């Protein structure tokens, strides 16, 4: 029989309960899973991914209403940090206005803090807009818990641009302008396939060109069985 190996450290996967003698931190290691701060068999963790304007936030609202999951959007967490006016906030503003990715230590710290603060009450987590690069996914699973499922909303650059330009009049967001939208799209395209390729077994793609309700129909086909388990 083939020996199972950790993806990050390439050491054999330890099947026994903690502590893992190798401290391998692999999401596939049973010992690591047992000591993760979230028990994902009871509280699933779902990453919600897609380009800027693909409808992540729109669908998350519908998911919260039906499933009562805890919604954490990294964009919202970062915008709240910006509003706080801290020194770190000034640097975040300029990165976000350039449509680039904020350093992962900052994003992951904000995310981990928010997850742990809600771990007891939550029925499950919707992590909206994370990971945006391969290393973010690895860092999340090492620091928090293995992801349960990944929903990816797929739409063309033209559709994404039109939606964001449509939203620009009312969103009040500094990054909803033609120039920054182009940069956000570029950042997304540069990283997206590498992120998705990491999770062939957990990834579920949804055509996000359809109507909001039709898309939610597809979302429910993914989440209903997850909740039933
Ligand atoms: P973030 O706030 O996450 O922005 P985004 O990914 O660009 O996505 P949006 O929130 O703009 O769009 P959405 O997909 O939620 O679509 P929505 O539902 O609103 O991130 C902002 C910035 O923060 C990043 O650029 C980066 O700098 C930083 N950041 C965030 N996460 C980070 C991370 N992990 N690491 C590093 N940096 C990070 O819909 C858009 C519009 O379309 C709405 O008007 C809506 O009504 C409409 N719409 C939605 N669905 C449909 C539909 N089916 N048909 C027609 N219209 C629709």
């Amino acid at each position: 029989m083939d020996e199972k190996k950790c993806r990050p450290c390439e050491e054999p996967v330890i099947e026994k309960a903690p502590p893992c003698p190798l401290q391998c931190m692999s999401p596939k290691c049973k010992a690591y899973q047992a000591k993760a701060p979230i028990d994902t068999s009871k509280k699933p963790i779902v990453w919600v991914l897609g380009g800027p304007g693909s409808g992540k936030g729109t669908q998350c609202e519908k998911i919260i209403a039906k499933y009562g999951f805890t919604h954490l959007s990294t964009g919202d967490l970062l915008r709240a940090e910006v509003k706080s006016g801290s020194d770190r906030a000034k640097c975040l503003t300029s990165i976000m206005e350039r449509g680039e990715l904020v350093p992962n230590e900052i994003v992951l710290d904000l995310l981990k803090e928010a997850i742990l603060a809600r771990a007891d009450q939550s029925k499950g987590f919707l992590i909206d807009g994370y990971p945006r690069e391969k290393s973010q996914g690895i860092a999340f699973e090492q620091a928090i818990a293995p992801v349960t499922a990944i929903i990816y909303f797929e739409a063309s650059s033209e559709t994404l641009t039109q939606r964001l330009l449509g939203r620009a009049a009312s969103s009040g967001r500094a990054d909803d302008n033609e120039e920054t939208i182009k940069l956000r799209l570029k950042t997304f395209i540069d990283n997206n396939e590498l992120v998705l390729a990491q999770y062939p077994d957990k990834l579920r793609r949804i055509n996000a060109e359809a109507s909001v309700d039709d898309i939610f129909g597809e979302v429910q086909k993914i989440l209903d069985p997850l909740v039933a388990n």
Side-chain angles (χ1 to χ4, degrees):
M1 201 177 78
D2 285 350
E3 190 178 47
K4 287 190 209 154
K5 294 267 179 79
C6 281
R7 242 193 281 163
C9 72
E10 288 299 317
E11 294 291 346
V13 167
I14 306 299
E15 299 285 353
K16 276 188 275 170
C20 167
L22 299 174
Q23 296 293 304
C24 70
M25 307 283 277
S26 163
K28 289 195 171 169
C29 171
K30 291 275 187 289
Y32 160 74
Q33 285 177 15
K35 74 180 170 61
I38 306 291
D39 178 356
T40 51
S41 66
K42 299 195 180 86
K43 299 169 195 274
I45 295 182
V46 179
W47 291 345
V48 181
L49 303 182
S54 58
K56 302 183 291 295
T58 304
Q59 293 298 324
C60 282
E61 277 179 25
K62 295 179 85 66
I63 297 170
I64 299 163
K66 173 163 178 184
Y67 300 94
F69 284 178
T70 305
H71 175 216
L72 295 171
S73 147
T74 47
D76 289 347
L77 290 171
L78 289 165
R79 280 185 287 277
E81 183 73 13
V82 165
K83 267 200 187 150
S84 76
S86 63
D87 280 349
R88 190 163 72 173
K90 284 175 204 143
C91 140
L92 292 182
T93 308
S94 62
I95 295 173
M96 290 166 79
E97 282 179 3
R98 291 197 303 271
E100 292 171 3
L101 296 179
V102 162
N104 191 37
E105 310 86 76
I106 299 179
V107 187
L108 189 58
D109 274 1
L110 289 170
L111 206 47
K112 188 172 179 185
E113 212 170 276
I115 289 175
L116 296 184
R118 294 158 179 82
D120 287 345
Q121 305 83 25
S122 181
K123 293 182 179 173
F125 289 92
L126 283 179
I127 310 296
D128 165 356
Y130 187 104
R132 293 191 193 225
E133 56 182 8
K134 190 176 158 186
S135 62
Q136 288 195 347
I138 295 169
F140 181 101
E141 292 198 307
Q142 288 180 340
I144 301 167
V147 64
T148 313
I150 301 165
I151 298 179
Y152 171 59
F153 294 117
E154 203 158 25
S156 69
S157 296
E158 292 70 28
T159 299
L160 300 180
T161 305
Q162 285 316 311
R163 285 187 190 165
L164 292 177
L165 288 175
R167 190 182 69 181
S170 59
S171 71
R173 273 177 54 166
D175 58 354
D176 275 353
N177 60 74
E178 208 163 344
E179 196 50 38
T180 310
I181 290 169
K182 273 189 206 148
L183 298 169
R184 286 160 70 192
L185 272 171
K186 180 178 181 326
T187 303
F188 166 70
I189 291 163
D190 287 348
N191 291 291
N192 182 48
E193 282 306 324
L194 282 176
V195 173
L196 302 185
Q198 281 280 98
Y199 309 97
D201 303 339
K202 295 182 178 178
L203 179 66
R204 303 291 299 273
R205 293 173 184 260
I206 293 181
N207 173 8
E209 304 270 352
S211 73
V212 170
D213 286 342
D214 286 351
I215 295 170
F216 188 58
E218 296 302 310
V219 168
Q220 291 173 84
K221 288 183 198 163
I222 298 169
L223 295 183
D224 282 351
L226 214 76
V227 171
N229 290 334

